Amino acid sequence: MDERTYTADAEPGDHVTVAGWVHEVRDLGGIAFLILRDKSGKIQVKFEKDEMDEDLVETGLNVHRESVISVTGEVEAEDRAPTGVEMLPGSVEVLNEADAELPLDPSGKVDADLSTRLDNRTLDLRKKEVQAIFEIRAEVLRAVRDYFRSIGSTEINTPKIVATGTEGGTELFPITYFGEEAFMNQSPQLFKQLMVGSGLERVFEVGPIFRAEEHNTPRHLNEATMIDFESAFIDHEEAMDVCEGTLKAAYEAVAENCTEELDLLGYDDFETPDGDFPRLTYEEAIERINATGELDEQLVYGDDLSTEAERALGDDVGGHYFITDWPSEIKPFYIQDYEDDPTTSKGFDLMHPRMELVSGGQREHRYGALVEGFEQQGLDPEQFDYYTKMFKYGMPPHAGWAYGVERLIMTMLGLENIREAVLFPRDRQRLSP
Ligand code: ATP
Ligand code: MG
Protein backbone atom coordinates (compact mmCIF):
# COMPACT_ATOMS: atom_id res chain seq x y z
CA MET A 1 0.00 0.00 0.00
CA ASP A 2 2.45 2.61 -1.27
CA GLU A 3 0.19 5.60 -1.15
CA ARG A 4 -1.15 4.94 2.35
CA THR A 5 -1.25 8.01 4.60
CA TYR A 6 -1.24 7.84 8.40
CA THR A 7 -4.39 9.38 9.84
CA ALA A 8 -2.29 11.85 11.84
CA ASP A 9 -0.77 13.19 8.60
CA ALA A 10 -4.07 13.74 6.78
CA GLU A 11 -4.44 17.50 6.21
CA PRO A 12 -7.45 19.45 4.96
CA GLY A 13 -7.37 19.64 1.17
CA ASP A 14 -5.53 16.32 0.78
CA HIS A 15 -6.84 13.40 -1.24
CA VAL A 16 -5.61 10.33 0.67
CA THR A 17 -5.94 6.64 1.34
CA VAL A 18 -5.95 5.71 5.01
CA ALA A 19 -5.98 2.16 6.34
CA GLY A 20 -6.56 0.67 9.75
CA TRP A 21 -9.18 -0.74 12.09
CA VAL A 22 -12.84 0.22 12.45
CA HIS A 23 -12.89 1.75 15.92
CA GLU A 24 -16.54 2.68 15.98
CA VAL A 25 -19.54 3.28 13.70
CA ARG A 26 -22.10 5.87 14.77
CA ASP A 27 -25.29 6.09 12.75
CA LEU A 28 -27.16 9.33 13.38
CA GLY A 29 -29.86 8.88 10.71
CA GLY A 30 -29.14 11.12 7.75
CA ILE A 31 -25.42 11.03 8.43
CA ALA A 32 -23.18 8.45 10.00
CA PHE A 33 -19.60 8.40 11.21
CA LEU A 34 -17.02 5.69 11.01
CA ILE A 35 -13.94 6.19 13.18
CA LEU A 36 -10.86 4.59 11.65
CA ARG A 37 -7.85 3.93 13.88
CA ASP A 38 -4.23 3.33 12.92
CA LYS A 39 -0.91 3.48 14.74
CA SER A 40 -0.79 7.26 14.52
CA GLY A 41 -4.30 8.02 15.79
CA LYS A 42 -7.87 8.16 14.53
CA ILE A 43 -9.85 9.90 11.82
CA GLN A 44 -13.58 10.45 11.40
CA VAL A 45 -15.08 9.32 8.09
CA LYS A 46 -18.43 10.95 7.30
CA PHE A 47 -21.18 9.19 5.33
CA GLU A 48 -24.00 11.38 4.00
CA LYS A 49 -26.69 8.90 3.13
CA ASP A 50 -28.68 10.97 0.67
CA GLU A 51 -25.70 12.28 -1.21
CA MET A 52 -23.41 9.28 -1.46
CA ASP A 53 -23.46 6.10 -3.46
CA GLU A 54 -25.71 3.55 -1.74
CA ASP A 55 -23.20 0.70 -1.93
CA LEU A 56 -20.49 2.85 -0.43
CA VAL A 57 -22.68 3.84 2.51
CA GLU A 58 -23.76 0.23 2.93
CA THR A 59 -20.16 -1.03 3.05
CA GLY A 60 -19.04 1.67 5.46
CA LEU A 61 -21.89 1.29 7.92
CA ASN A 62 -22.32 -2.46 8.03
CA VAL A 63 -18.72 -3.38 8.63
CA HIS A 64 -18.06 -4.93 12.04
CA ARG A 65 -15.98 -3.15 14.62
CA GLU A 66 -12.21 -3.97 14.45
CA SER A 67 -12.40 -5.00 10.79
CA VAL A 68 -9.45 -3.85 8.71
CA ILE A 69 -10.43 -1.38 6.01
CA SER A 70 -8.98 1.24 3.75
CA VAL A 71 -10.73 4.46 2.83
CA THR A 72 -9.86 6.78 -0.04
CA GLY A 73 -11.27 10.29 -0.13
CA GLU A 74 -11.02 14.01 0.56
CA VAL A 75 -9.86 15.43 3.87
CA GLU A 76 -11.70 18.49 5.14
CA ALA A 77 -11.40 20.72 8.16
CA GLU A 78 -14.24 20.06 10.63
CA ASP A 79 -14.20 21.67 14.05
CA ARG A 80 -16.71 19.23 15.45
CA ALA A 81 -14.61 16.19 14.56
CA PRO A 82 -12.44 14.90 17.44
CA THR A 83 -9.20 15.64 15.55
CA GLY A 84 -10.38 18.75 13.71
CA VAL A 85 -10.52 16.99 10.33
CA GLU A 86 -12.81 14.47 8.70
CA MET A 87 -12.83 12.43 5.52
CA LEU A 88 -15.45 12.27 2.82
CA PRO A 89 -15.02 8.78 1.38
CA GLY A 90 -14.87 8.15 -2.36
CA SER A 91 -14.33 4.44 -1.80
CA VAL A 92 -14.15 2.00 1.09
CA GLU A 93 -12.46 -1.39 0.87
CA VAL A 94 -12.90 -4.06 3.50
CA LEU A 95 -9.52 -5.80 3.64
CA ASN A 96 -10.49 -8.25 6.35
CA GLU A 97 -13.79 -8.42 8.17
CA ALA A 98 -13.66 -9.10 11.93
CA ASP A 99 -16.17 -11.35 13.72
CA ALA A 100 -19.16 -9.53 15.14
CA GLU A 101 -18.37 -10.90 18.61
CA LEU A 102 -14.99 -9.97 20.10
CA PRO A 103 -13.45 -11.62 23.19
CA LEU A 104 -12.26 -8.23 24.36
CA ASP A 105 -13.32 -4.65 23.69
CA PRO A 106 -10.32 -2.78 22.25
CA SER A 107 -12.05 0.57 22.68
CA GLY A 108 -11.61 0.03 26.43
CA LYS A 109 -15.24 0.87 27.20
CA VAL A 110 -15.73 -2.59 28.68
CA ASP A 111 -13.05 -3.57 31.19
CA ALA A 112 -11.37 -6.95 30.91
CA ASP A 113 -9.38 -8.78 33.57
CA LEU A 114 -5.67 -9.36 33.07
CA SER A 115 -6.10 -13.00 32.19
CA THR A 116 -8.58 -12.26 29.37
CA ARG A 117 -6.30 -9.48 28.18
CA LEU A 118 -3.27 -11.77 28.05
CA ASP A 119 -5.26 -14.49 26.28
CA ASN A 120 -6.14 -11.93 23.59
CA ARG A 121 -2.99 -9.84 23.64
CA THR A 122 -3.38 -8.79 19.99
CA LEU A 123 -6.71 -7.14 20.71
CA ASP A 124 -5.51 -5.84 24.07
CA LEU A 125 -2.62 -4.04 22.37
CA ARG A 126 -4.99 -2.13 20.16
CA LYS A 127 -5.59 0.03 23.23
CA LYS A 128 -3.31 3.05 23.11
CA GLU A 129 -2.52 2.94 26.81
CA VAL A 130 -1.37 -0.67 26.52
CA GLN A 131 0.71 0.15 23.44
CA ALA A 132 2.24 2.99 25.45
CA ILE A 133 3.85 0.53 27.88
CA PHE A 134 5.63 -1.23 25.04
CA GLU A 135 6.66 1.99 23.31
CA ILE A 136 8.23 3.04 26.61
CA ARG A 137 9.87 -0.37 26.99
CA ALA A 138 11.39 0.02 23.51
CA GLU A 139 12.63 3.52 24.37
CA VAL A 140 14.19 2.25 27.61
CA LEU A 141 16.09 -0.44 25.72
CA ARG A 142 17.25 2.05 23.10
CA ALA A 143 18.49 4.47 25.76
CA VAL A 144 20.24 1.70 27.66
CA ARG A 145 21.98 0.45 24.51
CA ASP A 146 23.11 3.99 23.63
CA TYR A 147 24.40 4.49 27.15
CA PHE A 148 26.40 1.26 27.04
CA ARG A 149 27.85 2.16 23.65
CA SER A 150 28.83 5.61 24.98
CA ILE A 151 30.97 3.95 27.65
CA GLY A 152 32.66 1.58 25.21
CA SER A 153 30.64 -1.54 25.92
CA THR A 154 30.11 -4.24 23.27
CA GLU A 155 26.73 -5.96 22.89
CA ILE A 156 27.01 -9.74 23.03
CA ASN A 157 24.60 -12.69 22.73
CA THR A 158 25.30 -15.81 24.75
CA PRO A 159 23.71 -19.29 24.68
CA LYS A 160 20.37 -19.90 26.30
CA ILE A 161 20.70 -23.70 26.19
CA VAL A 162 23.35 -24.66 28.69
CA ALA A 163 24.89 -27.61 30.47
CA THR A 164 24.83 -26.16 34.00
CA GLY A 165 22.86 -23.65 36.04
CA THR A 166 24.33 -20.75 37.95
CA GLU A 167 21.76 -19.28 40.27
CA GLY A 168 20.63 -22.32 42.24
CA GLY A 169 19.58 -25.75 41.06
CA THR A 170 15.92 -25.63 42.11
CA GLU A 171 15.05 -22.89 39.65
CA LEU A 172 16.35 -24.70 36.58
CA PHE A 173 14.23 -25.79 33.64
CA PRO A 174 15.64 -29.07 32.36
CA ILE A 175 15.33 -29.91 28.67
CA THR A 176 16.44 -32.80 26.51
CA TYR A 177 19.31 -31.95 24.20
CA PHE A 178 19.84 -34.79 21.69
CA GLY A 179 19.18 -37.36 24.38
CA GLU A 180 21.19 -35.58 27.06
CA GLU A 181 20.03 -33.42 29.93
CA ALA A 182 20.51 -29.70 29.42
CA PHE A 183 18.93 -26.58 30.90
CA MET A 184 17.46 -23.24 29.89
CA ASN A 185 19.89 -20.57 31.08
CA GLN A 186 19.04 -18.72 34.30
CA SER A 187 21.47 -15.90 33.62
CA PRO A 188 24.32 -15.00 31.22
CA GLN A 189 26.54 -14.55 34.30
CA LEU A 190 29.30 -17.02 33.52
CA PHE A 191 29.44 -16.24 29.79
CA LYS A 192 29.67 -12.50 30.25
CA GLN A 193 32.50 -13.02 32.73
CA LEU A 194 34.31 -15.17 30.20
CA MET A 195 34.00 -12.31 27.69
CA VAL A 196 35.52 -9.83 30.13
CA GLY A 197 38.66 -11.94 29.95
CA SER A 198 38.48 -12.23 26.16
CA GLY A 199 39.84 -8.85 25.20
CA LEU A 200 36.39 -7.35 24.63
CA GLU A 201 36.81 -6.16 28.23
CA ARG A 202 33.46 -4.43 28.61
CA VAL A 203 30.26 -6.14 27.45
CA PHE A 204 26.49 -6.04 27.78
CA GLU A 205 23.63 -8.29 26.79
CA VAL A 206 19.87 -7.86 26.56
CA GLY A 207 18.28 -11.27 26.47
CA PRO A 208 15.92 -13.82 28.00
CA ILE A 209 16.50 -15.72 31.23
CA PHE A 210 14.52 -18.72 32.41
CA ARG A 211 13.71 -19.50 36.02
CA ALA A 212 11.43 -22.18 37.36
CA GLU A 213 10.12 -19.90 40.12
CA GLU A 214 7.69 -22.06 42.07
CA HIS A 215 5.17 -19.39 42.92
CA ASN A 216 3.14 -16.93 40.95
CA THR A 217 3.94 -13.48 42.31
CA PRO A 218 3.25 -10.01 40.90
CA ARG A 219 7.00 -9.50 40.30
CA HIS A 220 8.32 -12.87 39.10
CA LEU A 221 8.16 -14.37 35.62
CA ASN A 222 9.40 -17.73 34.44
CA GLU A 223 10.87 -16.11 31.37
CA ALA A 224 12.19 -12.61 31.91
CA THR A 225 14.43 -10.19 30.00
CA MET A 226 17.69 -9.28 31.62
CA ILE A 227 20.05 -6.39 30.94
CA ASP A 228 23.50 -7.65 31.87
CA PHE A 229 26.67 -5.59 32.15
CA GLU A 230 30.19 -6.71 32.94
CA SER A 231 33.50 -4.86 32.72
CA ALA A 232 37.17 -5.60 33.25
CA PHE A 233 39.28 -3.34 35.44
CA ILE A 234 36.45 -1.81 37.45
CA ASP A 235 35.40 -2.51 41.02
CA HIS A 236 31.96 -2.81 42.58
CA GLU A 237 31.80 0.93 43.35
CA GLU A 238 32.39 1.78 39.68
CA ALA A 239 29.90 -0.89 38.63
CA MET A 240 27.31 0.86 40.83
CA ASP A 241 28.14 4.16 39.10
CA VAL A 242 27.40 2.57 35.70
CA CYS A 243 24.23 0.99 37.06
CA GLU A 244 22.99 4.33 38.37
CA GLY A 245 23.93 6.00 35.06
CA THR A 246 21.98 3.42 33.07
CA LEU A 247 18.87 3.85 35.18
CA LYS A 248 18.98 7.64 34.96
CA ALA A 249 19.57 7.48 31.18
CA ALA A 250 16.49 5.26 30.83
CA TYR A 251 14.26 7.58 32.87
CA GLU A 252 15.54 10.70 31.11
CA ALA A 253 14.94 9.19 27.66
CA VAL A 254 11.38 8.30 28.61
CA ALA A 255 10.73 11.76 30.08
CA GLU A 256 12.05 13.37 26.92
CA ASN A 257 10.81 11.10 24.15
CA CYS A 258 7.64 9.49 25.51
CA THR A 259 5.54 12.44 26.59
CA GLU A 260 2.52 11.21 24.64
CA GLU A 261 2.79 7.72 26.13
CA LEU A 262 3.17 9.12 29.65
CA ASP A 263 0.06 11.23 29.05
CA LEU A 264 -1.89 8.18 27.96
CA LEU A 265 -0.82 6.41 31.14
CA GLY A 266 -1.97 9.37 33.21
CA TYR A 267 1.37 10.81 34.29
CA ASP A 268 1.46 14.57 34.52
CA ASP A 269 4.47 14.54 36.83
CA PHE A 270 6.82 11.79 35.69
CA GLU A 271 9.86 12.17 37.90
CA THR A 272 13.36 11.27 36.79
CA PRO A 273 15.55 10.21 39.69
CA ASP A 274 18.38 12.66 40.39
CA GLY A 275 21.11 13.13 42.96
CA ASP A 276 23.40 10.31 44.02
CA PHE A 277 21.56 7.20 45.10
CA PRO A 278 22.22 6.42 48.78
CA ARG A 279 24.51 3.42 49.31
CA LEU A 280 23.58 1.64 52.54
CA THR A 281 25.55 -1.30 53.80
CA TYR A 282 23.55 -4.43 54.48
CA GLU A 283 24.14 -3.85 58.20
CA GLU A 284 22.78 -0.30 58.02
CA ALA A 285 19.85 -1.60 55.99
CA ILE A 286 18.75 -4.14 58.59
CA GLU A 287 19.17 -1.60 61.40
CA ARG A 288 16.96 0.84 59.53
CA ILE A 289 14.37 -1.83 58.77
CA ASN A 290 14.26 -2.87 62.42
CA ALA A 291 13.94 0.77 63.48
CA THR A 292 10.81 1.23 61.32
CA GLY A 293 8.95 -1.19 63.59
CA GLU A 294 7.07 -2.46 60.52
CA LEU A 295 8.15 -6.08 60.87
CA ASP A 296 6.69 -8.60 63.30
CA GLU A 297 10.12 -10.05 63.92
CA GLN A 298 13.42 -8.18 64.08
CA LEU A 299 15.95 -9.06 61.40
CA VAL A 300 19.32 -10.43 62.41
CA TYR A 301 22.59 -10.33 60.50
CA GLY A 302 22.58 -13.03 57.81
CA ASP A 303 18.83 -12.87 57.06
CA ASP A 304 17.80 -12.30 53.47
CA LEU A 305 15.42 -9.35 53.06
CA SER A 306 11.79 -10.40 52.75
CA THR A 307 9.30 -8.54 50.57
CA GLU A 308 7.97 -6.81 53.70
CA ALA A 309 11.48 -5.82 54.75
CA GLU A 310 12.21 -4.38 51.30
CA ARG A 311 8.97 -2.41 51.45
CA ALA A 312 9.64 -1.04 54.93
CA LEU A 313 13.11 0.14 53.93
CA GLY A 314 11.86 1.47 50.57
CA ASP A 315 9.24 3.61 52.31
CA ASP A 316 11.88 4.85 54.72
CA VAL A 317 14.42 5.79 52.02
CA GLY A 318 11.80 7.06 49.57
CA GLY A 319 13.78 6.63 46.33
CA HIS A 320 16.27 4.37 44.55
CA TYR A 321 19.14 3.17 46.74
CA PHE A 322 21.87 0.54 46.86
CA ILE A 323 22.43 -2.10 49.49
CA THR A 324 26.13 -3.01 49.63
CA ASP A 325 28.42 -5.28 51.66
CA TRP A 326 26.10 -8.29 51.83
CA PRO A 327 27.06 -11.27 53.98
CA SER A 328 29.08 -13.61 51.77
CA GLU A 329 26.92 -16.59 52.65
CA ILE A 330 23.78 -15.15 51.03
CA LYS A 331 25.51 -14.03 47.83
CA PRO A 332 26.57 -16.37 44.99
CA PHE A 333 29.99 -18.00 44.72
CA TYR A 334 31.23 -15.72 41.93
CA ILE A 335 31.07 -12.58 44.11
CA GLN A 336 34.34 -11.50 45.71
CA ASP A 337 34.72 -11.08 49.48
CA TYR A 338 36.61 -8.29 51.19
CA GLU A 339 40.28 -9.17 51.67
CA ASP A 340 40.23 -8.12 55.34
CA ASP A 341 36.78 -9.61 56.05
CA PRO A 342 35.94 -12.82 54.17
CA THR A 343 32.44 -12.95 55.73
CA THR A 344 31.43 -9.80 53.84
CA SER A 345 31.05 -9.70 50.06
CA LYS A 346 31.42 -6.94 47.49
CA GLY A 347 27.96 -7.74 46.20
CA PHE A 348 25.28 -5.05 45.87
CA ASP A 349 21.64 -4.68 44.97
CA LEU A 350 19.97 -1.65 43.43
CA MET A 351 16.58 -1.20 45.00
CA HIS A 352 13.47 0.66 43.94
CA PRO A 353 11.31 1.48 46.99
CA ARG A 354 8.96 -1.31 45.90
CA MET A 355 11.45 -4.09 45.06
CA GLU A 356 14.88 -5.27 43.98
CA LEU A 357 15.89 -4.17 40.47
CA VAL A 358 19.50 -5.21 40.10
CA SER A 359 22.04 -7.56 41.65
CA GLY A 360 25.72 -7.09 41.02
CA GLY A 361 29.16 -7.06 42.51
CA GLN A 362 32.87 -7.31 42.22
CA ARG A 363 33.65 -10.79 40.91
CA GLU A 364 36.16 -13.31 42.16
CA HIS A 365 38.83 -13.42 39.44
CA ARG A 366 41.44 -15.53 41.27
CA TYR A 367 41.27 -19.19 40.30
CA GLY A 368 41.93 -20.67 43.75
CA ALA A 369 39.39 -18.52 45.56
CA LEU A 370 36.80 -19.14 42.84
CA VAL A 371 37.04 -22.92 43.06
CA GLU A 372 36.84 -22.70 46.85
CA GLY A 373 33.66 -20.64 46.49
CA PHE A 374 32.08 -23.35 44.34
CA GLU A 375 32.80 -25.98 46.95
CA GLN A 376 31.46 -23.82 49.78
CA GLN A 377 28.21 -23.39 47.84
CA GLY A 378 27.93 -27.16 47.40
CA LEU A 379 28.59 -27.01 43.65
CA ASP A 380 30.99 -29.32 41.85
CA PRO A 381 33.74 -27.19 40.25
CA GLU A 382 34.44 -30.01 37.75
CA GLN A 383 31.06 -29.33 36.14
CA PHE A 384 32.05 -25.72 35.59
CA ASP A 385 35.45 -26.52 34.16
CA TYR A 386 34.67 -24.64 30.91
CA TYR A 387 34.34 -21.53 33.07
CA THR A 388 36.89 -21.94 35.85
CA LYS A 389 39.78 -22.97 33.62
CA MET A 390 39.73 -19.61 31.82
CA PHE A 391 40.56 -18.03 35.17
CA LYS A 392 43.96 -19.70 34.87
CA TYR A 393 44.81 -17.96 31.61
CA GLY A 394 44.67 -14.28 32.46
CA MET A 395 41.36 -13.12 33.91
CA PRO A 396 41.35 -9.40 34.81
CA PRO A 397 39.66 -8.04 37.94
CA HIS A 398 36.09 -7.24 36.97
CA ALA A 399 32.62 -6.29 38.17
CA GLY A 400 29.11 -6.12 36.77
CA TRP A 401 25.42 -6.46 37.37
CA ALA A 402 22.04 -7.53 35.96
CA TYR A 403 18.69 -5.77 35.72
CA GLY A 404 15.29 -7.27 35.13
CA VAL A 405 13.83 -5.22 32.26
CA GLU A 406 10.25 -5.94 33.28
CA ARG A 407 10.93 -4.84 36.86
CA LEU A 408 12.45 -1.63 35.56
CA ILE A 409 9.35 -0.90 33.46
CA MET A 410 7.00 -2.02 36.22
CA THR A 411 8.55 0.28 38.82
CA MET A 412 9.02 3.16 36.39
CA LEU A 413 5.35 3.14 35.41
CA GLY A 414 3.89 2.01 38.73
CA LEU A 415 2.36 -1.15 37.22
CA GLU A 416 0.68 -3.46 39.71
CA ASN A 417 1.72 -6.66 37.96
CA ILE A 418 4.95 -7.47 36.12
CA ARG A 419 2.90 -9.26 33.43
CA GLU A 420 1.70 -5.86 32.20
CA ALA A 421 5.26 -5.22 30.99
CA VAL A 422 5.58 -8.43 28.92
CA LEU A 423 3.81 -9.19 25.66
CA PHE A 424 3.35 -12.90 26.32
CA PRO A 425 4.20 -13.71 29.94
CA ARG A 426 5.29 -17.14 31.07
CA ASP A 427 4.14 -18.13 34.54
CA ARG A 428 2.86 -21.19 36.42
CA GLN A 429 -0.49 -21.04 34.59
CA ARG A 430 0.55 -19.59 31.28
CA LEU A 431 2.42 -21.32 28.47
CA SER A 432 0.43 -19.90 25.58
CA PRO A 433 -0.10 -17.65 23.79
P1 ATP B 1 14.38 -11.88 43.67
O1 ATP B 1 15.10 -12.13 44.95
O2 ATP B 1 13.65 -10.58 43.63
O3 ATP B 1 13.54 -13.02 43.21
P2 ATP B 1 16.87 -12.58 42.50
O4 ATP B 1 17.81 -11.99 43.52
O5 ATP B 1 16.58 -14.02 42.53
O6 ATP B 1 15.51 -11.75 42.53
P3 ATP B 1 18.91 -12.09 40.54
O7 ATP B 1 19.43 -13.44 40.31
O8 ATP B 1 19.65 -11.19 41.43
O9 ATP B 1 17.39 -12.20 41.06
O10 ATP B 1 18.63 -11.43 39.11
C1 ATP B 1 18.95 -10.08 38.78
C2 ATP B 1 17.69 -9.30 38.48
O11 ATP B 1 16.88 -9.95 37.51
C3 ATP B 1 16.78 -9.13 39.67
O12 ATP B 1 17.21 -8.07 40.50
C4 ATP B 1 15.46 -8.86 39.01
O13 ATP B 1 15.36 -7.52 38.58
C5 ATP B 1 15.52 -9.73 37.78
N1 ATP B 1 14.83 -11.02 37.99
C6 ATP B 1 15.32 -12.11 38.58
N2 ATP B 1 14.44 -13.12 38.59
C7 ATP B 1 13.35 -12.66 37.97
C8 ATP B 1 12.08 -13.23 37.66
N3 ATP B 1 11.78 -14.48 37.98
N4 ATP B 1 11.18 -12.47 36.99
C9 ATP B 1 11.48 -11.20 36.66
N5 ATP B 1 12.66 -10.60 36.92
C10 ATP B 1 13.59 -11.31 37.57
MG1 MG C 1 19.30 -10.61 43.37
Side-chain angles (χ1 to χ4, degrees), residues 211 331 348-349 356 358-360:
R211 296 193 180 182
K331 280 290 170 190
F348 62 81
D349 281 3
E356 176 190 321
V358 177
S359 280

Side-chain angles (χ1 to χ4, degrees), residues 224-227 356-358 402-409 418:
T225 313
M226 204 102 120
I227 301 172
E356 176 190 321
L357 285 183
V358 177
Y403 259 105
V405 175
E406 291 82 11
R407 290 216 187 152
L408 177 57
I409 304 298
I418 196 166

Side-chain angles (χ1 to χ4, degrees), residues 43-230:
I43 196 162
Q44 169 170 304
V45 183
K46 181 164 78 178
F47 293 89
E48 293 165 315
K49 292 186 189 167
D50 294 340
E51 283 158 48
M52 288 181 181
D53 176 71
E54 219 172 286
D55 284 348
L56 176 75
V57 174
E58 182 96 340
T59 311
L61 300 192
N62 289 332
V63 66
H64 295 148
R65 278 191 320 140
E66 296 306 315
S67 298
V68 180
I69 65 168
S70 73
V71 180
T72 303
E74 302 296 329
V75 184
E76 291 189 346
E78 172 52 71
D79 287 345
R80 287 165 296 178
T83 58
V85 297
E86 70 181 6
M87 266 184 88
L88 293 175
S91 66
V92 174
E93 191 183 346
V94 178
L95 301 172
N96 211 344
E97 175 92 25
D99 278 2
E101 294 286 324
L102 300 172
L104 182 106
D105 173 21
S107 78
K109 283 183 193 142
V110 184
D111 269 346
D113 61 25
L114 186 59
S115 171
T116 307
R117 291 178 45 207
L118 294 174
D119 285 343
N120 301 281
R121 205 49 154 155
T122 311
L123 294 181
D124 183 45
L125 268 144
R126 291 187 193 162
K127 290 182 256 174
K128 287 283 175 218
E129 64 277 17
V130 182
Q131 276 174 32
I133 295 172
F134 293 93
E135 290 293 344
I136 288 172
R137 182 181 159 126
E139 179 60 14
V140 163
L141 291 179
R142 185 204 61 75
V144 163
R145 283 195 166 93
D146 283 357
Y147 185 81
F148 282 135
R149 294 302 278 162
S150 78
I151 59 165
S153 184
T154 306
E155 181 160 9
I156 58 169
N157 301 98
T158 62
K160 305 305 159 207
I161 302 175
V162 295
T164 52
T166 48
E167 312 288 312
T170 53
E171 291 177 2
L172 275 169
F173 280 116
I175 59 166
T176 306
Y177 190 71
F178 300 114
E180 280 188 38
E181 184 174 59
F183 303 97
M184 302 302 291
N185 206 7
Q186 295 168 303
S187 147
Q189 181 64 34
L190 306 188
F191 294 108
K192 67 177 177 173
Q193 285 188 263
L194 292 177
M195 286 306 98
V196 155
S198 72
L200 289 177
E201 288 195 19
R202 178 170 282 191
V203 295
F204 75 99
E205 176 164 9
V206 180
I209 58 144
F210 305 90
R211 296 193 180 182
E213 310 274 4
E214 276 301 316
H215 306 290
N216 266 334
T217 83
R219 62 195 173 97
H220 286 94
L221 295 160
N222 293 111
E223 176 175 354
T225 313
M226 204 102 120
I227 301 172
D228 269 85
F229 171 76
E230 201 73 22

Side-chain angles (χ1 to χ4, degrees), residues 336-339 346 363-372 391 395-396 398:
Q336 193 169 65
D337 300 328
Y338 282 97
E339 201 74 30
K346 298 181 197 171
R363 317 306 188 182
E364 183 49 74
H365 62 284
R366 297 159 305 178
Y367 178 79
L370 184 68
V371 170
E372 229 171 79
F391 286 69
M395 185 60 76
H398 60 282

Side-chain angles (χ1 to χ4, degrees), residues 7 10 15 232 265 335 355 412 419:
T7 56
H15 180 86
L265 291 167
I335 308 261
M355 71 190 76
M412 180 184 271
R419 291 160 186 76

